[in-house]
Amino acid sequence: MSNVILRLYGHAALFAGVVGVGFAVMVLALNPTKLVTWGAGLVCLLLVVLGVQTIQAA
């Protein structure tokens, strides 16, 4: 049962990361000087990596 929960958390992190990176790219396309958006995009990219690693570990 814990593998199912771990995979669910991994998929949730992956989904949130992909959506976050998409929004960050859209905002950066409009105004590339926003440092907060660069930071948010990097955090979301880390969520993608974390999600993939969690799915593979389960």
Side-chain angles (χ1 to χ4, degrees):
M1 184 66 180
S2 71
N3 281 347
V4 173
I5 294 172
L6 197 60
R7 286 179 61 89
L8 180 66
Y9 285 155
H11 280 89
L14 181 62
F15 176 75
V18 168
V19 170
V21 167
F23 279 124
V25 166
M26 286 191 316
V27 171
L28 285 173
L30 296 174
N31 188 0
T33 60
K34 289 189 179 231
L35 290 177
V36 174
T37 308
W38 283 99
L42 289 176
V43 168
C44 290
L45 193 60
L46 286 175
L47 269 177
V48 170
V49 172
L50 178 72
V52 169
Q53 293 295 321
T54 305
I55 292 169
Q56 288 178 350

